[in-house]
Amino acid sequence: MKQNNRKTPLRHPDFAANCDLLFGLFPLAFMAVYLYGPRPAMMLAVSLLTALVCDFIVAKMRRQHYDASENSSLVFAAAFTLMLPATAAYYIVAAGTALAILIGKHAFGGAGSFPFHPSALAYAAVTVSWPEPLFKYPKPFSAIGVFDTSSAVMAESSAHVLRSGGVPNIPSLDLVLGNYAGPMGATFCLVIGAVAIYLLLKRRISFELPAAFLATCALISVIFPRVATATRVEVLKYELLSGALVYAAVFLLGDASTAPKNRLARVAYGVLAGFLTMMFRYYGSYELGVCFALLLTGAFSSYLDRVCSKVTFGRRKPL
């Protein structure tokens, strides 16, 4: 019998994990289309296409084989785009995605080598570059055209209201369902919670990181509320559920390339990220301060791994 000597192409080791993350982002994209019409789908198409083109160009520049199974760029592109308002210009989507892939990912050596989450880097860069169009959000079910967004009814974000000393007027049900003006795919806390359970069961994210992160944010918001006219429970509700805090905890914080590997280090990493996030929220000039906090926290990941690898949860390991 004649043997088939053709080699079966191997998939990238992280292909399945990235597919699970993309699968988790899909319901958020679906909800964005439901609230804002077809424009979020077009924005995601621009972002994903830009990511593929960037990967292809880098492979050709390095004279390497283009590996279509290395699909982490699609995750970074989608995660970045869903943090934008549904009225963000397409050139901003393309520029941010290109920055995430070319600088955030490939400039540090490619998949698994970057010290900062590319999506957080891209969001921080575009908000510094184009703050005006990115700090206004359309109200759900506004008439947003695919190419013309001038008819959209715009509103200030809940983060802006909190920073101004006010209390957002968002019903609790709408706050959980994401039915308010905000990042087009990052406000659906109920859906994100369901996706988090799926990713935990698939072991794509760890429990320690988001738990430590959210607990730290909750503790700071209760002990040091930044709104004096509201109860601590109200402040806690809006601090945790509005904006992109829960979204970042699930899709950005626990990236395998940037997060520590040691369990205790992951707890410390989550606490540090939560503390810096609240400091950016309290004193920073830009919304979604969690992205800026993650850029700083990423610098401590390896250090926390080295320190905590010698320590167990009650004693120090023998040297």
Side-chain angles (χ1 to χ4, degrees):
M1 182 180 292
K2 199 171 185 179
Q3 291 183 342
N4 186 2
N5 293 325
R6 289 185 301 175
K7 293 183 179 180
T8 303
L10 298 176
R11 285 181 174 177
H12 192 272
D14 294 330
F15 175 80
N18 291 328
C19 285
D20 285 335
L21 289 170
L22 284 171
F23 181 75
L25 288 167
F26 174 78
L28 303 180
F30 176 83
M31 291 298 296
V33 171
Y34 172 71
L35 289 184
Y36 302 108
R39 197 168 198 279
M42 285 293 296
M43 293 170 64
L44 284 167
V46 170
S47 180
L48 296 175
L49 180 60
T50 303
L52 291 174
V53 170
C54 289
D55 274 345
F56 183 80
I57 291 175
V58 170
K60 293 305 178 183
M61 290 177 62
R62 292 176 174 172
R63 297 182 181 179
Q64 296 174 346
H65 171 70
Y66 171 68
D67 184 6
S69 70
E70 200 293 281
N71 54 350
S72 63
S73 293
L74 300 180
V75 178
F76 302 145
F80 157 71
T81 306
L82 289 173
M83 289 188 288
L84 299 175
T87 50
Y90 293 122
Y91 69 85
I92 295 179
V93 176
T97 303
L99 179 66
I101 307 308
L102 297 177
I103 305 299
K105 175 183 173 182
H106 287 297
F108 293 99
S113 302
F114 42 85
F116 314 105
H117 197 290
S119 301
L121 176 66
Y123 181 84
V126 297
T127 52
V128 171
S129 302
W130 297 284
E132 290 298 326
L134 296 183
F135 288 167
K136 293 279 189 178
Y137 298 93
K139 292 185 176 181
F141 305 109
S142 296
I144 305 176
V146 174
F147 298 103
D148 182 14
T149 62
S150 59
S151 59
V153 180
M154 309 300 287
E156 299 286 355
S157 69
S158 56
H160 177 81
V161 175
L162 286 169
R163 190 166 58 246
S164 302
V167 181
N169 185 21
I170 305 173
S172 297
L173 183 60
D174 288 342
L175 193 63
V176 173
L177 296 178
N179 187 20
Y180 63 92
M184 68 178 187
T187 60
F188 311 109
C189 293
L190 190 62
V191 179
I192 295 173
V195 172
I197 294 174
Y198 167 77
L199 295 176
L200 283 169
L201 293 175
K202 297 283 288 186
R203 296 184 179 180
R204 303 310 184 193
I205 61 174
S206 65
F207 175 77
E208 300 89 5
L209 260 175
F213 172 75
L214 293 175
T216 302
C217 294
L219 187 63
I220 293 175
S221 65
V222 169
I223 297 177
F224 305 105
R226 54 175 167 166
V227 180
T229 57
T231 66
R232 294 178 189 268
V233 174
E234 283 184 306
V235 174
L236 174 64
K237 178 180 70 172
Y238 287 115
E239 291 285 11
L240 289 186
L241 298 181
S242 65
L245 205 67
V246 178
Y247 176 88
V250 175
F251 292 104
L252 303 185
L253 188 66
D255 182 80
S257 300
T258 57
K261 306 301 184 288
N262 180 273
R263 178 173 293 182
L264 180 58
R266 288 199 294 264
V267 173
Y269 188 85
V271 171
L272 178 61
F275 172 78
L276 291 175
T277 295
M278 296 308 292
M279 293 304 100
F280 273 106
R281 279 193 164 195
Y282 281 29
Y283 306 110
S285 302
Y286 299 101
E287 297 181 16
L288 292 194
V290 62
C291 290
F292 294 90
L294 290 181
L295 296 181
L296 290 178
T297 312
F300 295 92
S301 180
S302 298
Y303 173 76
L304 291 174
D305 253 339
R306 289 196 301 270
V307 171
C308 295
S309 62
K310 302 176 182 179
V311 179
T312 62
F313 280 101
R315 60 187 178 184
R316 195 173 185 84
K317 287 185 178 180
L319 298 176

